Amino acid sequence: MAKLGLEGLQMPVNFGLKSLIEVSGLEGKSITSSDVGYRLAPRINAVGRLGGGEQIIQLFTSNDEEETRNLAAEMNRMNRERQQIEDQILKCIEERFEDEPDLTDDWVIVVDGEGWHRGVIGIAATKLTERFHRPSLVVSREGDRGYGSGRAPNGFQLLCALEHCRDLFDRFGGHAQAVGFQIPLGRLPDLRRRVNEFARSTVKLEDLKPSLQIDAEIRLSDVDDPLFDQIERLSPFGMANPHPLFVAREVSLIAEPRILKSRHLKFRIEQDGRSMDAIGWNMAHQFQPMVDSNQILSLAFTLAQSSFQSMKSLQLIVKDIQLH
């Protein structure tokens, strides 16, 4: 079904879908599952996160091409606004960590801030969990109440952790990896203490350490268009069909990394005389360690194809970096 759906996106009939593809910069391009997840879906989700929803229905039901273009443009603007709000929250959290470094030593990270947007704190919790590989609860303080959203890595039952503290909440709900809740602000210290007690009693610290299932170790000299074409025959990729994951060991960093949009990391590597671009989404925190390293690293990555002015080239989408 996913494969047929992606084929249908190459020839959209719905005016709203056409406009959404256009405003996402995907017009005339071969749309992949990654494009859906990282370019189309966020523009749809942003509307709901910022408190709307009716624009989405209008977009996909309108037969007026000009109206759908205007709606798609508004969704694009809202997505940029969502990104700005997200950046502001993450910056506040980073400052909080600098002031209170013990927060990141907890088995469950609990952090709060004044007036953080409720529709975006879930994304912030996801980013914290991805970065620290710990369950994370992000709470917006509003008046005398806190409105929280939480995320957890596989292997930790976050809803069970909240059930353990159920007497602290006005209300809560969710599932193993994602929760939401409302809590009186005076109970936040108890929440932090008790969810950490629950974590220590139910999982081992090594259970929270990230792990990647590597499919093959290769050298950069093995990476070419025929290999990429063979991999693409396995697509579309997703949770039930993960993208093949490779590792290349002891490659050389041949140019100083660059930070893109304050969040992402782009750099160039070389091995066996073959040089390639590599991108690490949401890996800007690796910038300084890489600059300070001896320029030798190992990478876990998937393969992708980038296009610039009709020129296509292969690049690495980095999932993990080991500095040597």
Side-chain angles (χ1 to χ4, degrees):
M1 290 177 67
K3 181 177 176 63
L4 293 173
L6 287 171
E7 289 175 359
L9 288 179
Q10 316 307 319
M11 299 175 291
V13 176
N14 181 275
F15 284 149
L17 186 54
K18 284 182 180 179
S19 297
L20 183 62
I21 289 172
E22 181 180 331
V23 80
S24 301
L26 295 172
E27 186 178 19
K29 297 182 180 180
S30 178
I31 299 175
T32 67
S33 55
S34 293
D35 292 327
V36 173
Y38 293 102
R39 302 181 76 171
L40 297 178
R43 287 168 168 82
I44 297 173
N45 291 343
V47 179
R49 290 188 180 279
L50 298 186
E54 64 277 0
Q55 296 100 319
I56 301 170
I57 298 172
Q58 293 171 4
L59 179 75
F60 291 118
T61 57
S62 175
N63 292 320
D64 186 322
E65 192 167 1
E66 183 176 355
E67 180 185 26
T68 60
R69 284 177 176 167
N70 291 334
L71 287 166
E74 175 64 8
M75 292 170 67
N76 195 50
R77 184 200 63 76
M78 296 178 77
N79 189 52
R80 288 197 301 269
E81 181 182 350
R82 186 271 306 169
Q83 291 172 330
Q84 292 169 354
I85 295 171
E86 177 188 331
D87 289 342
Q88 291 169 358
I89 293 175
L90 291 173
K91 182 180 179 181
C92 289
I93 292 174
E94 195 64 41
E95 292 172 351
R96 181 79 177 276
F97 288 163
E98 291 174 0
D99 294 336
E100 301 178 56
D102 289 349
L103 287 174
T104 59
D105 293 332
D106 284 348
W107 288 31
V108 180
I109 296 173
V110 182
V111 63
D112 59 279
E114 187 67 35
W116 289 346
H117 199 295
R118 295 191 209 175
V120 182
I121 55 176
I123 301 176
T126 297
K127 296 293 176 62
L128 292 180
T129 294
E130 290 174 349
R131 178 176 171 183
F132 295 102
H133 314 293
R134 308 282 177 90
S136 303
L137 302 178
V138 178
V139 182
S140 173
R141 298 196 307 266
E142 301 177 26
D144 62 351
R145 288 292 186 272
Y147 298 88
S149 187
R151 299 292 185 271
N154 290 330
F156 186 83
Q157 296 289 328
L158 189 54
L159 183 59
C160 290
L162 265 60
E163 289 276 5
H164 178 72
C165 314
R166 64 179 306 120
D167 57 295
L168 298 178
F169 302 108
D170 295 331
R171 59 177 184 267
F172 70 96
H175 54 82
Q177 265 71 61
V179 297
F181 57 89
Q182 178 182 314
I183 186 172
L185 289 180
R187 297 176 182 174
L188 279 180
D190 289 336
L191 174 63
R192 179 185 174 191
R193 175 179 56 82
R194 289 172 60 178
V195 294
N196 274 278
E197 288 174 351
F198 174 85
R200 290 188 179 92
S201 66
T202 56
V203 296
K204 299 177 181 178
L205 192 57
E206 53 264 30
D207 294 335
L208 299 178
K209 291 182 179 179
S211 62
L212 294 174
Q213 184 65 47
I214 303 296
D215 292 296
E217 179 175 345
I218 62 177
R219 301 189 70 82
L220 295 190
S221 54
D222 298 324
V223 179
D224 54 20
D225 290 329
L227 174 63
F228 178 76
D229 292 339
Q230 290 291 328
I231 292 172
E232 283 302 291
R233 293 180 66 185
L234 302 174
S235 66
F237 301 112
M239 289 294 292
N241 183 37
H243 205 296
L245 187 64
F246 302 103
V247 64
R249 302 189 188 278
E250 298 186 353
V251 302
S252 299
L253 184 67
I254 59 175
E256 183 170 299
R258 291 187 292 127
I259 294 179
L260 307 178
K261 298 183 178 180
S262 75
R263 288 180 290 178
H264 313 307
L265 192 66
K266 185 173 184 179
F267 53 99
R268 193 163 181 82
I269 54 173
E270 186 271 339
Q271 186 186 57
D272 300 336
R274 174 75 191 281
S275 60
M276 296 187 69
D277 286 332
I279 294 181
W281 304 119
N282 298 304
M283 285 190 175
H285 60 280
Q286 290 277 14
F287 173 81
Q288 199 59 49
M290 288 180 67
V291 171
D292 296 339
S293 73
N294 65 358
Q295 316 295 292
I296 302 297
L297 48 145
S298 296
L299 302 174
F301 61 90
T302 60
L303 285 179
Q305 191 176 65
S306 63
S307 298
F308 179 72
Q309 295 181 347
S310 300
M311 297 291 292
K312 294 183 178 181
S313 62
L314 297 179
Q315 64 181 6
L316 311 184
I317 305 300
V318 178
K319 303 300 182 181
D320 194 23
I321 301 173
Q322 182 182 23
L323 302 175
H324 296 280

